[in-house]
Amino acid sequence: QVQVQESGGGLVQAGSSLRLSCSASGRSTYTTVAMGWFRQAPGEEREFVGRMRWSGGTTDYADSVKGRFTISREKVGYTVYLRMDSLKPEDTAVYYCAVDTLGSNRFWGQGTQVTVSS
């Protein structure tokens, strides 16, 4: 099992920056293949934001955030960050961290609210 904890959400103005953190713990973290972020706005389905593959550290991003959001990781342990720049009101959502492990398992955090005012 893997426990996932996000932090760092808040209320910011459009054009601002925010950094979210996600830490994974538990006996299965050594099987992590990717850590990433999804978001869900009110009345919308949860959507992919970006992810980092654990082996090699390559990243993928949704077109809507490419060039504005950046995922990075700590060198030790299982912590990733989502740096969000040039935030827009349409980025308002609950942001969820997801940890993918071997065997196609996905573990979710509880989510953190990001609200961008215009």
Side-chain angles (χ1 to χ4, degrees):
Q1 289 294 320
V2 175
Q3 292 77 48
V4 184
Q5 181 69 50
E6 309 102 331
S7 63
L11 170 63
V12 297
Q13 291 187 329
S16 299
S17 298
L18 202 60
R19 190 181 78 161
L20 306 182
S21 301
C22 172
S23 293
S25 61
R27 61 182 182 179
S28 297
T29 52
Y30 74 97
T31 67
T32 297
V33 297
M35 292 182 69
W37 297 89
F38 290 73
R39 67 187 182 185
Q40 188 167 19
E44 303 289 333
E45 293 189 353
R46 192 171 297 188
E47 64 174 6
F48 170 77
V49 173
R51 70 169 179 176
M52 175 178 281
R53 296 178 186 81
W54 219 241
S55 177
T58 56
T59 52
D60 298 308
Y61 299 96
D63 288 343
S64 59
V65 306
K66 201 172 294 184
R68 299 188 299 122
F69 289 14
T70 304
I71 296 175
S72 61
R73 61 181 281 190
E74 290 286 351
K75 293 183 178 180
V76 178
Y78 297 90
T79 298
V80 294
Y81 303 99
L82 179 66
R83 169 78 180 189
M84 304 183 290
D85 296 318
S86 303
L87 281 162
K88 306 174 182 180
E90 49 264 44
D91 294 318
T92 295
V94 178
Y95 282 71
Y96 296 92
C97 180
V99 178
D100 293 340
T101 65
L102 290 175
S104 300
N105 299 305
R106 173 166 287 171
F107 299 90
W108 295 96
Q110 82 289 349
T112 185
Q113 177 70 47
V114 173
T115 303
V116 184
S117 64
S118 58

